[in-house]
Amino acid sequence: DPVGSTVDLVTLVMGDAEADACDPAPALTEAEIEEYSRIKCCVCGDRVRAEDVAEHSRRCVLAPAPNLRLQLDKWRIVSTSMTPSEQRAFLHMRRTEELAKVEEIEAALAQRMPQLWWMPGKF
């Protein structure tokens, strides 16, 4: 009987699935639970509990990138001791210098061949 064989096949497949579902999955060991429940510090590599992250962040600090360090302009430091008229003259001088640099950069860019963004190479 073809219907009976289909039922037996379904019972067999369902029986295997039920048997697999009843088997308990392998549990994590205490070491695995300890390892995966902590956060790894990218600076020192230690594993830190979530509750201790704030305290660890105070001790373990990433050094700032050299290009992001705050550097005071030496002319800005000098200008703090100037009179208002000297500051105006100084500011005019600095703006003139900066304008000359910008014009120099623009002239250099105007001489270069433009690169088309949708095509590699220069035309």
Side-chain angles (χ1 to χ4, degrees):
D1 179 88
V3 175
S5 62
T6 307
V7 171
D8 292 338
L9 180 62
V10 170
T11 306
L12 178 64
V13 170
M14 288 297 290
D16 289 344
E18 289 172 2
D20 290 341
C22 294
D23 289 341
L28 296 174
T29 64
E30 287 297 320
E32 290 172 330
I33 292 171
E34 185 69 24
E35 179 181 349
Y36 295 121
S37 64
R38 293 178 178 242
I39 300 166
K40 185 175 181 181
C41 176
C42 67
V43 178
C44 65
D46 289 347
R47 295 213 174 257
V48 182
R49 292 186 317 163
E51 304 86 41
D52 299 334
V53 169
E55 179 186 333
H56 183 79
S57 297
R58 289 187 197 96
R59 291 187 285 114
C60 191
V61 179
L62 184 63
N67 61 332
L68 297 178
R69 289 192 180 146
L70 179 64
Q71 296 178 352
L72 295 175
D73 185 14
K74 64 181 178 180
W75 299 113
R76 176 80 176 133
I77 296 169
V78 170
S79 69
T80 57
S81 62
M82 294 180 179
T83 65
S85 61
E86 290 174 331
Q87 286 180 356
R88 277 193 293 278
F90 172 72
L91 188 60
H92 177 62
M93 190 170 48
R94 286 290 300 263
R95 286 182 178 165
T96 305
E97 289 175 5
E98 289 174 1
L99 178 61
K101 286 181 184 178
V102 168
E103 288 173 346
E104 182 182 315
I105 292 170
E106 287 175 346
L109 289 174
Q111 293 175 352
R112 291 174 47 190
M113 294 289 284
Q115 186 172 0
L116 302 176
W117 62 269
W118 64 88
M119 297 179 134
K122 293 184 178 180
F123 298 90

